[in-house]
Amino acid sequence: MEHAFGELNSESFVKLLSKLIGESKYVQNNPPELIPEEDRVCKHVLEALNPYSVENGGPLIVQHITYVKGRGNIIVEYPGTEKGKIVSFVGSHMDVVPANPEDWKFDPFHLSIEGDKLQGRGTTDCLGHVALLTELMQRLGETKPNLKSTVVAVFIANEENSSVLGVGVDALVKQGLLNKLKDGPLFWIDTADKQPCIGTGGVVSWKLQATGKLFHSGLPHK
């Protein structure tokens, strides 16, 4: 779709990411000690997208869906021209794993920039993806390209914890809000590592044969 609306606006992306990383302290997920307030991230996403929403004369259908106070999810839809054709990007979550500032060489709750390196809790898992998809949907709202397929982005709460349910994507699925995404490719946008990600989830089938030592990511000694 690059030809339709150009390249990523790096300045806009970094500005938004800086706001999101600035909220990372408050969206750490480790109950019962740390209960994230994902609406703090939702606020910035909605501020970026609402000017292009149908309520404001734009093409984007923006839904802020909350099952637990302060812990919202967002579904954004850019309608296509052909009924039944759809592509979706799901899984970019607005919570993060905890970070102890004493273990970091820099403030994890503030975006730091060294050359082309962006650092801070959530840059790779997963506030960076939230910012990227927000920029994508914002650009669709701005340029209004004529696309056959509807494009949907789903930002979720509570991905980093499974002991507390009924907050994030499980509740969206239970309510049937993601049913229509089954009609087309679904890409799970959530990479937790700095290295290239071969594949995580989605409806695209793939097979990989590898030779080497079996280990969990980053823990070969175990």
Side-chain angles (χ1 to χ4, degrees), residues 129 187-202 204-211 215 217:
H129 298 74
F187 298 93
W188 188 266
I189 310 297
D190 174 19
T191 303
D193 297 308
K194 299 180 288 296
Q195 297 76 23
C197 179
I198 297 172
T200 50
V204 179
S205 299
W206 55 277
K207 184 181 293 185
L208 174 69
Q209 183 175 352
T211 301
F215 64 92
S217 58

Side-chain angles (χ1 to χ4, degrees), residues 8 19 21 24 35 37 44 52 54 64 71 84 88 93 99 108 111 118 134-135 147 160 180-181 184 199-200 211:
L8 171 72
K19 293 178 181 178
I21 299 300
S24 59
I35 306 297
E37 305 169 48
H44 300 295
Y52 309 99
V54 293
H64 181 207
R71 306 198 62 190
S88 58
H93 53 92
L111 181 67
L118 305 177
T134 300
E135 289 290 315
L147 303 179
E160 296 291 5
K180 69 179 181 180
L181 305 187
T200 50
T211 301

Side-chain angles (χ1 to χ4, degrees), residues 57-134:
L60 298 183
I61 301 170
V62 182
Q63 301 179 73
H64 181 207
I65 302 157
T66 304
Y67 301 100
V68 176
K69 185 177 179 180
R71 306 198 62 190
N73 306 269
I74 299 174
I75 300 178
V76 189
E77 180 177 328
Y78 179 79
T81 59
E82 292 193 12
K83 185 177 181 181
K85 289 183 70 67
I86 193 169
V87 60
S88 58
F89 304 96
V90 186
S92 291
H93 53 92
M94 299 176 286
D95 60 332
V96 301
V97 293
N100 181 358
E102 296 180 1
D103 297 332
W104 291 57
K105 296 179 180 179
F106 52 87
D107 182 359
F109 306 126
H110 174 79
L111 181 67
S112 61
I113 304 174
E114 294 183 7
D116 61 355
K117 182 186 295 185
L118 305 177
Q119 301 177 123
R121 173 56 86 212
T123 51
T124 58
D125 187 17
C126 184
L127 299 179
H129 298 74
V130 172
L132 182 64
L133 283 183
T134 300

